[in-house]
Amino acid sequence: MRTDQMLARLEPVFARLDREPERPAHLQTPQMSRHRIVLLSATLAFYLVIVVAVLTTSWLVRLDWQIMFFRPYEQWPQVHAFLDYLVVLGQRGPTAVMVAAWLGWRSWRQHTLRPLIALGVALLLLNITVGSVKLGLGRLGPHYATQIGSAELFAGGDIFPSGHTANAVVTWGILAYLASTTVTRRVLSILSGVLSLSVGATTVYLGTHWVSDVLLGWTAGLLIMLALPWFEPLIGRTEAYVFGLREQWRRRLEDGRLSEPVAAALTPLLSAGGKWQPRRTPAAKDGAPAPAAAPAGHSPALRPAGHAHQVSRQHVIRSERTPLTPGGSRRPAHTERAPARGTPARPATGG
């Protein structure tokens, strides 16, 4: 019952999604073009260069330590409060909620689930790729470093690459990816790039990430955005599956409406506070109505018109009657009953 009520509430949402889309007709789904493949290859090469530079404790690791000793949060303390709020734009929870709210409105306006599904696929790729590298390399952050000049790898940390930076690239970059016009896409791409770099620089200022963490996080997020067109068929199949599942729910709701006349007839009983609920009974053979036991204290107004002459007491079959006593009476025998008036008492037998 609770599932049917939830599906009934979702029916208006799916009914709106059934309408013709209002998205521009000239807007095409992003394709994996040759230009995008070149950018993806260059970004992947840059990603591998950063990983190798950290693994070999090269000049990049020395730069990390120099900035760590510089302590930017002590050099410019006046901006510390502002940057504490700015770094929230890279946290996965708040940004995912804000972007999902906007894309949910887009899905409602354009009558399609593609924006929300694309966001879900991008975040899933982010968790898999960035999370696996974090746990695999196990790098410690600047506040937990133990050996000066070391890359602090395989020490049980989860700081490399920067999750704040990669999350900012993906969550804000998905808005540019799903933009309605080319100009809007370019503007949002620039804004998301600046915002992601600002979030990464803020983590370096606060001392929670190395510089190499931010570079690799920005590259990891860019790789996901460049490779997202490869997952467009999956997004389309997922949307088709959701609508197919909706059709199954709709048929289930239509089957459930068959009991609505019964529920309407029993509304006075249900409104009286009883816990009895109508139950669908199978139809009897030869078209005869299936017998159903009426609840105790039911109103005569609920009976059919042709049965108004019936006695209010329910008929009891022979197998359910009280068994007869040996004396022929239906009353049970009482051995300790007191004798009636005028009848001599039987002498008690001594034991």
Side-chain angles (χ1 to χ4, degrees), residues 279-301:
R279 181 173 56 184
R280 185 184 303 175
T281 55
K285 296 181 179 180
D286 299 333
H298 66 283
S299 174

Side-chain angles (χ1 to χ4, degrees), residues 3-5 7-8 11 18 245-261 280:
T3 304
D4 293 341
Q5 293 176 0
L7 298 179
E11 187 63 22
D18 279 337
L245 188 63
R246 186 274 309 267
E247 293 299 329
Q248 297 179 6
W249 292 347
R250 176 178 291 177
R251 288 193 296 267
R252 182 178 176 183
L253 286 175
E254 290 176 355
D255 295 340
R257 293 192 185 101
L258 296 177
S259 61
E260 289 182 0
R280 185 184 303 175

Side-chain angles (χ1 to χ4, degrees), residues 13-35:
V13 178
F14 285 110
R16 180 177 176 85
L17 294 176
D18 279 337
R19 297 171 55 188
E20 290 296 327
E22 296 179 0
R23 59 200 304 261
H26 65 275
L27 182 63
Q28 300 295 331
T29 302
Q31 302 295 327
M32 206 64 189
S33 61
R34 182 179 302 178
H35 177 69

Side-chain angles (χ1 to χ4, degrees), residues 25 107 289:
S107 296

Side-chain angles (χ1 to χ4, degrees), residues 330-346:
R330 293 187 179 181
R331 295 181 179 179
H334 298 280
T335 58
E336 300 179 356
R337 181 185 298 272
R341 294 182 179 180
T343 303
R346 298 180 182 179

